Amino acid sequence: MKSIALSKPIQVHNNKVTVLEIHEPTFDQVEKYGIPFSYSERGDMRLDRRSALSYLPELTGIPRSSAQQLALHDVFVASMIIVVFFTGAQNLALSDDDSITLPDSGD
């Protein structure tokens, strides 16, 4: 499980939530939602937004209506964390400006 501090709180069952806990997907969830990324012909990784967004409510345990309240920045960070579960890139680093660098990116 990984946690992210939200840049903007959301309402979940009439409670203000400022931190989301994201659980690792199960086999059944992967079967249902697929792999949340693919590779281009050049070898670039591409986020499958439909798959990643489908995982969000289920892996965080929040209703879809609460997931819809997430700031776009938080959706992106949560999506990258979901990808980390698949890639094994456990050293996902957030820089001081909240940009995300994967360990093998060279940046």
Side-chain angles (χ1 to χ4, degrees):
M1 176 176 53
K2 298 195 178 288
S3 299
I4 62 167
L6 299 177
S7 62
K8 180 183 97 177
I10 61 172
Q11 291 291 317
V12 179
H13 304 297
N14 295 319
N15 295 312
K16 181 174 142 179
V17 172
T18 59
V19 175
L20 275 186
E21 294 180 346
I22 304 174
H23 297 273
E24 187 169 354
T26 64
F27 177 87
D28 290 338
Q29 290 167 327
V30 175
E31 184 177 48
K32 182 177 181 181
Y33 300 119
I35 303 294
F37 61 91
S38 62
Y39 289 99
S40 72
E41 292 177 12
R42 296 184 320 181
D44 299 327
M45 187 191 309
R46 294 181 179 211
L47 180 67
D48 179 338
R49 66 175 168 71
R50 180 167 290 158
S51 176
L53 290 175
S54 296
Y55 275 109
L56 261 175
E58 192 153 334
L59 297 181
T60 58
I62 64 173
R64 189 174 189 285
S65 60
S66 295
Q68 289 175 310
Q69 299 170 36
L70 289 167
L72 291 179
H73 170 79
D74 297 329
V75 170
F76 177 75
V77 172
S79 297
M80 291 298 97
I81 288 172
I82 291 167
V83 168
V84 165
F85 287 126
F86 289 87
T87 63
Q90 297 302 314
N91 297 324
L92 180 69
L94 288 178
S95 67
D96 291 337
D97 65 354
D98 288 339
S99 63
I100 295 176
T101 304
L102 293 174
D104 297 336
S105 71
D107 294 328

